[in-house]
Amino acid sequence: MKILILGGTGVISREIVRQLIAAGHGVTVYNRGLRDPGFGKEVGQLIGDRLRRAEFEDGMRKTRYDAVIDMICFNADDARSTIRAFAGRAGQIIVTSSIAAYRRPYRSVPTQEAEETLWDDPAFLYAFHKAEMEKILREAIRRDGLPITVVRPSLTYGPGAANIGVLRQNCGIVHRIRQGKPLVMFGDGTTPWSFTFVPDLAKAYVGIAGNPKTFGEDFHVTSEERRVWDDLYLEFGRLVGKTPEIVHLPSELLRKAAPDLCSHLYFEKSYSGLFDNSKLRSVIPDFKADISLREGLQTILAGYEAEAHEADAQKDALEDRLVALHGEFAARMCGLQAK
């Protein structure tokens, strides 16, 4: 198939490109050209900015693709633009949303697509915009019968990812464990979660592309290995041979301390992150997300070691302050008991 990817240079989209090429498809990426996709002549490249709406849409109207995968659709305006650009000119439009678009608390655990409704509170803008985006897509499916497929990944890690850890410390997690510095965890660390890794997610896109059974449908794609949030740090500790000290703080307080970093913990991650892939397997029978947390983190750790990553100093200092505040509060509570 002839496939266009809007984006194509991110942690997830690069792996989708790699797997599509391996499956024998012809792939072109569209982006601003700021980063080399790293595939040489194997992949075509179109340079442009999707936010320059008229230019983007006019240029895409001159093309035809068997499938378009939109990895950079974040709000209702993006969705409208994608529809204007590709309606009638693409055999399928695959749009990447997020499980953040679901309203909390969930109606089903493990979560099933048909049981859930969309987020409607602008207090968590990322989720709100993704949900509004999906509403535009659903209307286009209902009104015009467009061959649109919505994919909802959960938290997904891969080499080069910048979203690993409660404070998105990334390699800072390993640095703190090795230095004996505590790591901050939200809640009591026992919220159920399934950590997904990029190769498993990319497999779903390959199976969805050109698959008529997926037209007009939505699918979340996540690991089904059941873990809890503490396991993220404990598994890193096992890999480096040192048990981490974990300090637990309420997600509400973390949100107040660092809203840009921690709002997602309060609005999204505080709820169970277990998802049922049965709907996806009904259209891709051989799909299986089989990379374990340990296996995935081994790959992440190898990348950190190979490239000698440095911890983010600001995040490290923030974590130190949070740990200190936790200690002060614990001491005061012990003082109350002594009185």
Side-chain angles (χ1 to χ4, degrees):
M1 290 188 297
K2 183 181 176 183
I3 299 175
L4 174 69
I5 298 183
L6 304 184
T9 62
V11 172
I12 294 172
S13 53
R14 279 200 310 270
E15 179 64 16
I16 295 172
V17 171
R18 189 192 68 77
Q19 291 194 25
L20 287 171
I21 293 171
H25 300 297
V27 180
T28 299
V29 298
Y30 173 94
N31 52 56
R32 292 176 292 172
L34 301 179
R35 288 184 287 179
D36 182 357
F39 295 98
K41 295 181 179 179
E42 288 185 286
V43 174
Q45 186 168 20
L46 301 175
I47 304 297
D49 185 345
R50 72 164 304 152
L51 296 180
R52 300 174 68 172
R53 306 288 190 197
E55 182 180 311
F56 163 67
E57 293 163 22
D58 288 345
M60 293 301 103
R61 290 188 186 109
K62 302 170 186 175
T63 66
R64 295 196 71 87
Y65 291 94
D66 297 306
V68 172
I69 301 175
D70 191 346
M71 299 297 295
I72 49 175
C73 191
F74 296 107
N75 55 48
D77 287 341
D78 289 344
R80 293 186 186 98
S81 180
T82 293
I83 291 168
R84 290 193 298 265
F86 297 108
R89 283 170 290 278
Q92 181 186 19
I93 303 170
I94 304 169
V95 181
T96 303
S97 183
S98 168
I99 59 96
Y102 287 136
R103 182 184 293 171
R104 269 67 166 189
Y106 296 112
R107 295 180 175 181
S108 57
V109 177
T111 302
Q112 298 175 328
E113 294 90 341
E115 298 298 320
E116 303 305 320
T117 56
L118 293 177
W119 187 270
D120 57 0
D121 184 355
F124 184 24
L125 273 176
Y126 177 77
F128 180 76
H129 285 315
K130 281 290 190 179
E132 293 297 295
M133 176 200 81
E134 286 202 31
K135 291 173 185 177
I136 298 298
L137 300 173
R138 287 184 179 185
E139 178 60 20
I141 294 168
R142 185 197 65 78
R143 183 187 64 238
D144 304 318
L146 292 183
I148 294 172
T149 305
V150 174
V151 178
R152 295 192 197 100
S154 180
L155 182 62
T156 305
Y157 296 151
N163 62 339
I164 302 175
V166 167
L167 301 180
R168 297 186 171 122
Q169 308 100 310
N170 303 303
C171 68
I173 295 169
V174 177
H175 286 273
R176 292 185 72 88
I177 293 173
R178 285 178 169 158
Q179 293 167 13
K181 298 173 74 172
L183 289 158
V184 168
M185 175 56 63
F186 70 94
D188 64 1
T190 63
T191 303
W193 201 265
S194 296
F195 298 93
T196 307
F197 291 88
V198 166
D200 282 339
L201 175 57
K203 284 192 294 188
Y205 281 88
V206 175
I208 287 169
N211 185 338
K213 293 180 180 179
T214 70
F215 295 179
E217 298 292 342
D218 53 352
F219 303 90
H220 50 234
V221 183
T222 76
S223 169
E224 291 180 272
E225 181 189 32
R226 298 190 177 195
R227 293 293 199 127
V228 298
W229 266 93
D230 265 2
D231 287 336
L232 175 66
Y233 293 158
L234 293 173
E235 202 63 66
F236 264 124
R238 293 184 188 104
L239 291 173
V240 302
K242 189 171 183 178
T243 302
E245 179 184 350
I246 302 175
V247 167
H248 297 93
L249 286 168
S251 60
E252 183 178 8
L253 294 183
L254 289 171
R255 177 193 172 204
K256 291 179 178 178
D260 290 342
L261 274 178
C262 298
S263 288
H264 69 105
L265 302 174
Y266 177 76
F267 288 109
E268 178 189 351
K269 305 301 192 304
S270 297
Y271 299 90
S272 170
L274 303 180
F275 299 87
D276 183 352
N277 286 330
S278 296
K279 184 178 180 182
L280 183 66
R281 286 194 294 270
S282 74
V283 296
I284 311 175
D286 60 349
F287 176 81
K288 185 177 181 182
D290 51 11
I291 299 173
S292 70
L293 177 62
R294 182 176 181 81
E295 292 166 337
L297 293 185
Q298 281 179 320
T299 302
I300 301 295
L301 179 60
Y304 292 159
E305 305 285 17
E307 299 180 18
H309 285 271
E310 295 293 329
D312 184 306
Q314 288 185 324
K315 291 179 182 176
D316 195 47
L318 171 63
E319 196 151 13
D320 285 342
R321 291 197 298 273
L322 291 170
V323 169
L325 287 170
H326 177 275
E328 291 173 14
F329 180 75
R332 290 184 182 184
M333 293 299 291
C334 291
L336 287 176
Q337 291 179 355
K339 289 181 179 180

